[in-house]
Amino acid sequence: MSAKIPLAGVIGSPISHSKSPQLHRHWLKTYGLPGDYIPMDVAPQDLELVLRTLPKAGFVGVNITIPHKESALEIADLVTDRATLIGAANTLIFRKDGQIHADNTDGYGFLENLRAGAPQWAPASGPAAVLGAGGAARAVVASLLDAGVPEIFVTNRTRVRAEKLADDFGNRVTVVDWVQAGNILEDSALVVNTTSLGMIGKPAMRVPLDGLRRGSVVTDLVYAPLRTDLLATAEQAGCVTVDGLGMLLHQAVPAFERWFGQRPDVDSATRAAALR
Ligand code: NAP
């Protein structure tokens, strides 16, 4: 009797930078599970063919990253409500009946990381400021609204993208012009950077940060570097800071559980494995 070894992976382009393979392989090893997790660089025009073929080769699902998060949603046969609202998929499950099921666990990962890194933060503690209005921002806003944050200020370089987000998410979201971004920090109990600013190889964060107030919580989705300039400045201002690596780890938990049948722990060994 030969049982198929379950395979999963991550599809993006480029993909060599992804930390997901070492993360999932660490969990497979920790729990003594059969399986593997493989990075795949796939061109946009090949995505659908690859997704329809992988289940035939023993794949139980894949993570999806830039630039495929929106197209994966269109290709999927079944889509969760949260992925529809966010407009992007980061996790696909290949069902036994041949259908592709799409979900988005970024918001879940964001909130779990925030709760782990800043246990004193409560959704009702005040408004949140979200810098950026891309796919990650939509996942963050969805999760914060779900958690009960009373008001969210969203600011984005391209204003129309922030307005679209506010239209989609309702009247607890207020758009603030990008040039006014510094002004919303003072009134916010939580500040989230969802732009790529501050990431290695990207422009620096230029939003004026003198409005950050002592005791507020500041988190950055950028995790390369781990301690971004935003987090360093926030720390000096007496804020509680949470880095973005934990979001990557926590967003992977529901996927790993669905694919391999074991809910994994996010602990210091998991963090070390992702940083290797
Ligand atoms: P995206 O959809 O491409 O959005 C990029 C965002 O960054 C947009 O708001 C964009 O503004 C803004 N931006 C880019 N360059 C800018 C510049 N020079 N000046 C001002 N704003 C700029 O990407 P995404 O999927 O949302 O990802 C955003 C970031 O979050 C990335 O760094 C990604 O690595 C990170 N992320 C981390 C995790 C995690 O697990 N920690 C998960 C998901 C994403 P415009 O609309 O004006 O272009």
Side-chain angles (χ1 to χ4, degrees):
M1 284 223 305
S2 72
K4 266 193 184 168
I5 292 176
L7 300 173
V10 56
I11 296 182
S13 190
I15 201 61
S16 55
H17 66 283
S18 175
K19 293 186 185 302
S20 295
Q22 60 246 51
L23 168 63
H24 285 268
R25 284 175 183 163
H26 162 76
W27 280 334
L28 286 167
K29 198 167 160 209
T30 301
Y31 298 106
L33 297 169
D36 204 354
Y37 186 98
I38 293 153
M40 289 167 275
D41 192 330
V42 174
Q45 66 273 20
D46 298 330
L47 182 65
E48 177 146 23
L49 179 65
V50 169
L51 290 179
R52 295 288 172 199
T53 307
L54 285 177
K56 301 179 211 272
F59 277 76
V60 290
V62 284
N63 285 125
I64 298 289
T65 187
I66 293 170
H68 301 312
K69 284 183 162 187
E70 286 84 13
S71 9
L73 197 69
E74 282 163 28
I75 294 167
D77 307 298
L78 302 160
V79 178
T80 60
D81 289 345
R82 61 183 174 179
T84 305
L85 189 62
I86 294 163
N90 75 338
T91 303
L92 300 181
I93 292 142
F94 300 147
R95 290 165 38 128
K96 289 207 169 75
D97 62 8
Q99 293 195 307
I100 297 176
H101 186 235
D103 195 6
N104 192 314
T105 62
D106 274 342
Y108 166 84
F110 167 75
L111 217 51
E112 287 297 299
N113 184 42
L114 186 60
R115 287 189 165 129
Q120 66 275 56
W121 175 79
S125 56
V130 173
L131 311 179
R138 293 178 70 91
V140 165
V141 167
S143 70
L144 290 176
L145 290 174
D146 222 30
V149 170
E151 187 175 14
I152 303 178
F153 303 114
V154 175
T155 180
N156 194 50
R157 176 183 60 173
T158 310
R159 188 182 166 103
V160 64
R161 214 169 170 193
E163 280 165 356
K164 170 83 172 77
L165 187 154
D167 281 351
D168 291 347
F169 286 90
N171 58 11
R172 278 195 281 157
V173 179
T174 305
V175 177
V176 176
D177 211 77
W178 184 239
V179 292
Q180 305 289 330
N183 298 349
I184 54 178
L185 306 182
E186 206 170 331
D187 299 325
S188 301
L190 171 70
V191 175
V192 188
N193 175 42
T194 76
T195 73
S196 48
L197 295 176
M199 189 175 166
I200 292 169
K202 301 282 180 183
M205 169 64 67
R206 283 199 199 86
V207 171
L209 299 174
D210 25 315
L212 287 175
R213 64 174 155 90
R214 175 171 293 279
S216 62
V217 176
V218 178
T219 182
D220 202 328
L221 266 54
V222 170
Y223 56 80
L226 259 186
R227 193 168 183 262
T228 59
D229 286 349
L230 168 65
L231 294 184
T233 308
E235 219 171 87
Q236 278 161 13
C239 305
V240 177
T241 60
V242 181
D243 72 50
L245 183 66
M247 174 174 169
L248 178 82
L249 309 181
H250 283 284
Q251 63 79 31
V253 168
F256 187 90
E257 183 177 20
R258 287 291 295 268
W259 297 331
F260 299 112
Q262 163 84 45
R263 191 163 185 86
D265 284 330
V266 173
D267 52 17
S268 52
T270 316
R271 219 175 136 83
L275 286 172
R276 264 202 293 275

